[in-house]
Amino acid sequence: MLLNECIEDCLDRTYPSFADDTPAGDVLAYMQEKGLQCVPVLHEGSVVAVVGLGDLERSKKKDGLRLGELQAAAFKSAAHNEHLFTLFERFRSSPNPIVPVSDNEGLYLGVVEKSKVLEKISAVFHLGQDATTIELDLPSHGLKLSEIVATLEKNDATLLSFGSYYADPEKGSVVLTFRVQAHDQYRLVKNMEKYGYTVRYASPLSTSEYDELREKALEFIRYMDM
């Protein structure tokens, strides 16, 4: 998903920014009044840094200091045509809750809150909807994802998303995490185990699914009593 695809509901064009020649004391007072943690600093309309309350608090003793004179780390804004996932690189490099966004000419457009980006990524991987999570512990050597997907689909499961990570690189094992829509989660898990897959985790059955299994068990017991 490109960032410009979620601009309409993610980009805050009203978020305040300040030119680098603005007195630091004025910005500190404004941020304290508005309850802001950080603000973008612009030079000729382009983002050059993001300053936080800590940066400004440390500069209070220096009268007449301008934003551009602070020892704030340089920060490159995100372009609106970048992919959504690339913003995670910005997350690691900045502790701030916002990411400035610029247009193709590098001019400041507004900010995107990290929480909004996480909501979008959650939607991409179907993390916020009713679905089954299944983790399989597999040897990385000879792993064929297509066979696993075919097995899931053969058991009436619709693959929504998946991810992978190495649980034990020394042993060469990889964990695959799937989000699926399953008509019968219990049957799906049991069949995956029957096919030789090690199910590391499966979403707990809902109350309704427990009730359905309980009714099937009771029906079987009644049949045996007859």
Side-chain angles (χ1 to χ4, degrees):
M1 177 184 288
L2 295 179
L3 186 56
N4 55 9
E5 293 178 32
C6 70
I7 283 275
E8 289 186 7
D9 58 340
C10 284
L11 184 67
D12 184 355
R13 297 179 181 271
T14 66
Y15 196 90
S17 61
F18 295 89
D20 56 358
D21 59 355
T22 307
D26 294 349
V27 177
L28 175 60
Y30 179 86
M31 291 174 63
Q32 290 174 333
E33 178 186 350
K34 300 296 183 181
L36 300 175
Q37 297 182 43
C38 56
V39 292
V41 179
L42 311 183
H43 177 72
E44 296 181 353
S46 297
V47 178
V48 292
V50 175
V51 297
L53 281 174
D55 301 316
L56 295 168
E57 288 283 354
R58 288 189 291 271
S59 69
K60 283 197 304 184
K61 296 180 180 179
K62 301 178 181 179
D63 295 333
L65 195 67
R66 307 286 173 171
L67 288 183
E69 299 170 322
L70 294 176
Q71 297 301 313
F75 190 90
K76 182 181 177 182
S77 61
H80 73 102
N81 59 352
E82 289 185 40
H83 196 278
L84 192 63
F85 292 170
T86 63
L87 289 185
F88 271 94
E89 298 175 13
R90 310 266 199 277
F91 286 10
R92 292 199 304 269
S93 63
S94 172
N96 301 313
I98 59 168
V99 176
V101 178
S102 300
D103 62 14
N104 292 333
E105 285 71 44
L107 298 178
Y108 174 73
L109 290 175
V111 302
V112 171
E113 295 180 18
K114 288 182 179 179
S115 59
K116 294 289 186 180
V117 174
L118 292 175
E119 288 176 9
K120 284 294 180 180
I121 292 176
S122 174
V124 169
F125 286 100
H126 301 273
L127 302 180
Q129 65 176 256
D130 185 19
T132 296
T133 299
I134 296 181
E135 280 196 354
L136 304 179
D137 197 344
L138 302 162
S140 58
H141 179 70
L143 175 64
K144 292 185 179 180
L145 182 61
S146 59
E147 293 182 357
I148 302 173
V149 173
T151 303
L152 291 169
E153 293 177 340
K154 187 165 59 178
N155 285 275
D156 298 323
T158 301
L159 179 63
L160 300 176
S161 66
F162 77 93
S164 65
Y165 65 93
Y166 288 97
D168 191 342
E170 294 183 359
K171 293 183 179 179
S173 62
V174 62
V175 175
L176 295 183
T177 303
F178 298 91
R179 291 285 286 173
V180 300
Q181 292 282 8
H183 297 292
D184 189 336
Q185 177 188 329
Y186 181 81
R187 173 176 170 271
L188 172 63
V189 172
K190 289 302 178 184
N191 281 346
M192 295 300 288
E193 292 175 336
K194 185 175 69 175
Y195 296 142
Y197 294 110
T198 300
V199 179
R200 181 187 178 102
Y201 172 84
S203 297
L205 293 173
S206 65
T207 303
S208 60
E209 289 171 313
Y210 274 123
D211 290 342
E212 182 180 350
L213 288 173
R214 180 174 177 274
E215 287 301 320
K216 288 180 180 179
L218 291 175
E219 183 179 345
F220 177 74
I221 292 173
R222 286 193 293 267
Y223 173 78
M224 293 298 293
D225 287 341
M226 293 174 59

